[in-house]
Amino acid sequence: MQTYLVAVGLMTMGLVLVALCVAAWFQGVEPLWSVILFGLLGVYMVFLGVDEGWLSGLEVTPSHLRIQSFGRWEEYPLTRIEAVDGLRDILGGGIQLVLLAAEGQAIRVPLRRYANAGPLAQALLDALWLQNKELVLMPRLARRLGQPPFGVFAAKKSGR
């Protein structure tokens, strides 16, 4: 529910900004390029709200991670991931995982949209751990979630 509120808020702010820019255009506000620039920012905010609420997705399998943004899916093999960190997401305040790949690529995985963000993060960490037993979890993420395996994709460690 919180995700949809953020999405509708972004869309509303974008529409208000576009309306103000159109009104400024007809009133002859100078410089004209500033009106156009802020109008384009408003259009971008509307698209960002639509993406945030309805066009984003996430799939975790034992071998791949698929992230949908603006209706387009990107697939990442989990074998390339060497380290994982967790950040606070500025939109909605949820957690965002940052996967660090071998070639220096950082893949951001926002989990704020999902009511099951904790189990989803654990599933992703289990899948990463299955692909790389030497996976490095940054200390703040390890304190928050613990160490894999969690029992989602991999069997839990005994003695826990």
Side-chain angles (χ1 to χ4, degrees):
M1 184 63 170
Q2 183 178 359
T3 300
Y4 294 116
L5 291 175
V6 170
V8 170
L10 279 169
M11 292 168 48
T12 303
M13 288 188 296
L15 289 173
V16 167
L17 187 57
V18 168
L20 289 172
C21 288
V22 168
W25 176 288
F26 286 121
Q27 291 177 3
V29 172
E30 291 292 330
L32 191 58
W33 63 266
S34 66
V35 173
I36 294 170
L37 184 66
F38 282 108
L40 290 174
L41 177 64
V43 170
Y44 176 73
M45 288 174 67
V46 170
F47 284 129
L48 187 62
V50 169
D51 178 54
E52 178 69 24
W54 296 276
L55 297 180
S56 296
L58 179 69
E59 289 181 6
V60 179
T61 67
S63 62
H64 284 83
L65 169 69
R66 295 183 68 214
I67 300 174
Q68 182 185 25
S69 182
F70 287 104
R72 190 188 71 191
W73 287 95
E74 289 187 49
E75 191 167 294
Y76 302 98
L78 298 179
T79 54
R80 300 181 350 201
I81 307 301
E82 294 181 342
V84 183
D85 197 3
L87 301 173
R88 192 119 186 89
D89 202 333
I90 60 170
L91 289 176
I95 188 173
Q96 183 179 79
L97 294 180
V98 179
L99 312 178
L100 304 169
E103 54 277 343
Q105 180 185 21
I107 304 164
R108 293 184 180 267
V109 183
L111 299 175
R112 67 181 169 271
R113 300 176 183 103
Y114 310 104
N116 63 341
L120 189 57
Q122 289 178 341
L124 180 56
L125 291 175
D126 265 1
L128 288 167
W129 183 79
L130 284 172
Q131 296 297 323
N132 179 6
K133 302 288 190 206
E134 302 298 320
L135 180 69
V136 176
L137 256 63
M138 297 303 163
R140 66 178 158 209
L141 183 63
R143 278 191 304 273
R144 185 170 183 172
L145 297 176
Q147 291 287 337
F150 297 104
V152 181
F153 280 129
K156 266 189 173 179
K157 289 181 185 175
S158 61
R160 266 195 171 199

